[in-house]
Amino acid sequence: MSQNGVPDFAELLKSARHTAVHLEMRDIYSVGDETETFERFLRTGEADLDPDSALWQGWTPLVREAVGRGVVIRRARIVSEPVTDYIRYEHALTPVNIAVGEQVRWLPRPQTSEIALPGNDLWLIDDRLILFHFFTGDGGWAGHEYSEDPTVVKLCASAFEAVWERGVDHEKFAV
């Protein structure tokens, strides 16, 4: 268990039995562990596509383990167009997410106007618990909140499914 009673993400994903879905709604993230690789991408256009590299070692083993247990992992990203440099970077890295078993779709922001969206990015595990991610205005980490409130779970599940239904598979989404 991490600080403030919010479960560690790895623990949450390990608890998943059927599904883990991630809804991302920001056009820029500025999280410290990506700074160097993002700056390299801006300079060179190159992205680290080795799922076993140091960049990915905190993520890909978790996904492989969950998918190996039969958990379906889906990620939906709502983006503004034209996309930001950060979204181009995420798009360039997404083949790794897919290679280790995630399904990824993208949805242009104007297509979300009729969807009741939660106010923050989130992970929803087995339609039973949510981990919200909070960010500062410039995209830095600002905290997390955990919820099992059935009303909140229902809203988030409905929002994710609506985004997923309208979303474009990664392979077909051009940035």
Side-chain angles (χ1 to χ4, degrees):
M1 186 76 60
S2 66
Q3 295 178 338
N4 302 325
V6 175
D8 175 80
F9 178 75
E11 292 174 36
L12 286 178
L13 192 55
K14 287 177 182 177
S15 77
R17 287 169 271 171
H18 306 287
T19 61
V21 302
H22 188 33
L23 182 59
E24 297 178 40
M25 300 182 284
R26 296 183 54 89
D27 288 319
I28 187 167
Y29 295 88
S30 182
V31 293
D33 60 341
E34 294 178 341
T35 302
E36 187 177 313
T37 58
F38 179 52
E39 288 173 358
R40 185 177 121 217
F41 175 79
L42 291 176
R43 284 191 319 275
T44 68
E46 296 174 8
D48 182 347
L49 298 179
D50 177 1
D52 298 314
S53 73
L55 172 68
W56 292 99
Q57 66 184 254
W59 182 246
T60 57
L62 290 173
V63 174
R64 286 175 172 148
E65 190 277 330
V67 170
R69 288 185 289 109
V71 175
V72 175
I73 301 178
R74 296 182 294 160
R75 179 185 302 259
R77 293 175 169 146
I78 298 171
V79 296
S80 299
E81 292 180 307
V83 299
T84 63
D85 286 340
Y86 187 87
I87 295 302
R88 286 189 314 103
Y89 166 71
E90 271 193 332
H91 191 272
L93 290 171
T94 298
V96 173
N97 298 89
I98 293 167
V100 298
E102 287 187 58
Q103 299 170 36
V104 180
R105 289 189 180 171
W106 302 81
L107 184 63
R109 196 169 307 281
Q111 296 178 35
T112 66
S113 296
E114 299 158 1
I115 300 172
L117 295 168
N120 297 287
D121 287 15
L122 61 92
W123 276 94
L124 173 60
I125 308 295
D126 291 330
D127 286 335
R128 65 183 170 84
L129 53 95
I130 301 166
L131 181 64
F132 287 107
H133 295 302
F134 304 132
F135 296 91
T136 62
D138 62 1
W141 287 112
H144 305 279
E145 181 178 294
Y146 173 75
S147 177
E148 293 183 83
D149 180 309
T151 303
V152 177
V153 167
K154 184 177 178 180
L155 167 74
C156 293
S158 173
F160 182 86
E161 292 305 327
V163 170
W164 188 258
E165 182 179 300
R166 295 177 187 197
V168 177
D169 285 333
H170 173 74
E171 295 80 13
K172 295 178 182 174
F173 187 77
V175 295

